Amino acid sequence: MPLVVVTTSPRVAPGVLSHQAWRTLSSGRVLTASADHPQLPYLAEAGIEVEVVTTPDHAALVRQAVDDTVVWLATEDEGFMRAVGHAALALDDPPVIEVVPGSYDLPGARVLDLVAVMDRLRTECPWDRKQTHASLVPYLIEEAYEVQHAVEQGTGLREELGDVLLQVAFHSRVADDFDIDDVADVIVGKLVRRHPHVFGDVSVESADEVNTNWEAIKATERAGKDLFDGVPMGQPALSLVAQLIRRAEAAGAPEGLAHAVGQGVARELFDLVRRAQEAGLDPEAELRGAALAYRARVEAWESR
């Protein structure tokens, strides 16, 4: 006879269990270590009696499983599996120990953990409790730059993306009129709407066609709005100029409007950005690359 351990995910709604799990839970004596296990009300509703054993005798459970089916409804404590494994090894004829997943985490399920942690921090931590959208903005900008640095260095990207995700969750928790589900709903709708070749019946042959469709859909969405609506004016000046030029050209603004803008050095810099745009280059990335090359030269000189 087996000792069957049924595992469940705390990120899946209680009561939503696999067919194999329901069948297993109906096959023998069922025990668990937690009186607060979220599955208990649903098992009771299904007529399945569960015995709560807060301090299980692992050796006794293993011995019983030699002759009878014993079902253990697991908590998140990994110690149970180690303990029954050691107890089974002590027997001459140990029972079979099986694991039956009752529910699985879907991709993205750990974001639910982040939401739960953020809810608790916002309630119990004095620093987190007093933050506002305005006070958090510098951290979001800093974390975005750290992601860029991680990409350039080829290391640490996962951690830096986690920090950016924290900022999204934090702002969503601070908000009074929306939450993180609303944020996700908006971006999902936008992605579906702007990818008709994936979610609709539009056919494309290349990435260039995808980009053309994307810009056309964006233009339709912006109809009736200010030409520069949505352009963040607080971004670095080089990328700001580049985005303004792109937006104006897409709207059909005369090319001459981008000539002889500003005075002195400002005019020269603006013209350089325009020329970079015409060459298909990102002026911010180009200047950043030059800055990194200069830093490397100085560091090499310093270490002579």
Side-chain angles (χ1 to χ4, degrees), residues 187-201:
I187 190 59
V188 167
K190 181 183 293 185
L191 289 173
V192 170
R193 189 169 61 251
R194 294 186 182 179
H195 289 80
H197 56 287
V198 175
F199 302 100
D201 55 5

Side-chain angles (χ1 to χ4, degrees), residues 132-155:
T132 65
H133 292 303
S135 70
L136 290 172
V137 165
Y139 301 104
L140 178 57
I141 295 173
E142 178 182 341
E143 299 300 353
Y145 279 126
E146 290 185 5
V147 167
Q148 181 181 29
H149 181 72
V151 170
E152 292 171 347
Q153 298 297 310
T155 183

Side-chain angles (χ1 to χ4, degrees), residues 118 122 128 131-141 163-180 183:
M118 198 64 252
R122 186 67 173 168
D128 290 274
Q131 299 310 306
T132 65
H133 292 303
S135 70
L136 290 172
V137 165
Y139 301 104
L140 178 57
I141 295 173
D163 290 341
V164 172
L165 182 59
L166 166 60
Q167 295 304 312
V168 174
F170 209 151
H171 278 280
S172 299
R173 183 62 180 78
V174 168
D176 294 322
D177 55 344
F178 64 85
D179 59 21
I180 197 166
V183 173

Side-chain angles (χ1 to χ4, degrees), residues 44-172:
E45 185 178 348
I48 298 174
E49 183 179 348
V50 181
E51 181 180 347
V52 177
V53 183
T54 55
T55 54
D57 184 336
H58 303 97
L61 288 174
V62 170
R63 287 195 300 270
Q64 182 183 352
V66 172
D67 300 313
D68 301 300
T69 298
V70 178
V71 181
W72 182 262
L73 181 60
T75 62
E76 293 188 87
D77 178 19
E78 298 179 358
F80 177 82
M81 290 298 295
R82 288 193 296 269
V84 295
H86 288 307
L89 290 174
L91 299 180
D92 293 331
D93 186 19
V96 174
I97 299 177
E98 300 177 3
V99 176
V100 173
S103 54
Y104 303 82
D105 282 350
L106 295 173
R110 297 298 298 224
V111 175
L112 297 175
D113 292 348
L114 175 59
V115 172
V117 168
M118 198 64 252
D119 282 344
R120 185 168 179 180
L121 290 176
R122 186 67 173 168
T123 302
E124 301 179 22
C125 174
W127 187 89
D128 290 274
R129 191 164 53 238
K130 75 174 186 178
Q131 299 310 306
T132 65
H133 292 303
S135 70
L136 290 172
V137 165
Y139 301 104
L140 178 57
I141 295 173
E142 178 182 341
E143 299 300 353
Y145 279 126
E146 290 185 5
V147 167
Q148 181 181 29
H149 181 72
V151 170
E152 292 171 347
Q153 298 297 310
T155 183
L157 181 59
R158 180 179 61 182
E159 290 76 13
E160 299 303 342
L161 287 175
D163 290 341
V164 172
L165 182 59
L166 166 60
Q167 295 304 312
V168 174
F170 209 151
H171 278 280
S172 299

